[in-house]
Amino acid sequence: FRMVIVRDLRDRLAARDRIHHLAHHDALTGLPNRADFLARVGDKLAQVEAQGATAALLFVDIDRFKRVNDSLGHIAGDALLCEVARRITAALRATDLVARFAGDEFVVLLAGDLEYADIDEVARKLLVAIAQPVDVDGPSISVTTSIGIALFPRDSRDPAELLKFADTAMYHAKA
């Protein structure tokens, strides 16, 4: 006598994958979240250092985003954030890391054989892409962004310190 039990685990596996995705990605934009970015940036910088290459951490903040939410509502603000996330991703290489860090803040890690001109070109490309008008269920709005940049290994070899420097540079850019 033999008994065979067959269970379909597809639903359980799909649920596990969904939970993993939600834990590591921003629910609104689908980009990696802060925790995932911080976990990955250390590994990426270690690879960069082993290759003798460089990296740049860009801290991107939408200027006066609160005014969008206050005047047009949170649905419009969410639509704007999704479009900004799409535009940032479209402007980068597949090897670059991008994440929604918090609220209206995004972080980007560029790595490889980078010259200052390359970093400047990416930052300008982001500024132009984000500044294009966005249709948010009626009104077309345009926003500007401020970008702070910190360089690895020049400014720091520590991911947390590099992030702090990029954040500080972004506030200087805003001013």
Side-chain angles (χ1 to χ4, degrees):
F1 174 70
R2 211 183 294 189
M3 185 160 80
V4 177
I5 298 174
V6 177
R7 267 194 253 186
D8 186 353
L9 299 177
R10 286 180 288 192
D11 289 343
R12 186 179 293 176
L13 293 174
R16 185 196 66 196
D17 291 345
R18 179 81 178 130
I19 290 167
H20 183 269
H21 181 81
L22 290 172
H24 295 277
H25 291 81
D26 175 58
L28 179 65
T29 64
L31 290 176
N33 61 21
R34 175 195 303 242
D36 187 66
F37 182 82
L38 293 175
R40 293 169 60 193
V41 74
D43 293 340
K44 189 76 166 174
L45 291 177
Q47 289 174 356
V48 166
E49 190 164 30
Q51 295 167 353
T54 58
L57 186 69
L58 285 66
F59 205 103
V60 181
D61 183 78
I62 301 172
D63 298 329
R64 295 177 290 286
F65 179 72
K66 186 178 180 331
R67 291 169 89 190
V68 173
N69 276 341
D70 290 347
S71 62
L72 300 175
H74 289 280
I75 292 173
D78 288 351
L80 175 64
L81 288 172
C82 289
E83 181 59 21
V84 167
R86 190 193 66 71
R87 290 177 183 185
I88 290 172
T89 303
L92 300 174
R93 303 170 298 183
T95 56
D96 298 328
L97 296 180
V98 61
R100 180 170 176 212
F101 210 63
D104 63 334
E105 299 171 337
F106 298 85
V107 287
V108 174
L109 182 70
L110 310 173
D113 279 331
L114 299 171
E115 300 291 330
Y116 292 125
D118 300 325
I119 300 163
D120 183 62
E121 181 183 336
V122 171
R124 289 181 192 282
K125 207 156 94 171
L126 290 173
L127 290 170
V128 169
I130 295 168
Q132 299 303 310
V134 178
D135 292 326
V136 286
D137 202 25
S140 182
I141 58 172
S142 295
V143 293
T144 58
T145 52
S146 297
I147 300 176
I149 302 171
L151 304 175
F152 175 90
R154 190 194 84 179
D155 295 331
S156 178
R157 284 184 149 74
D158 177 60
E161 194 171 58
L162 202 62
L163 190 60
K164 184 179 88 172
F165 290 155
D167 187 30
T168 300
M170 184 271 301
Y171 278 103
H172 285 294
K174 246 184 208 314

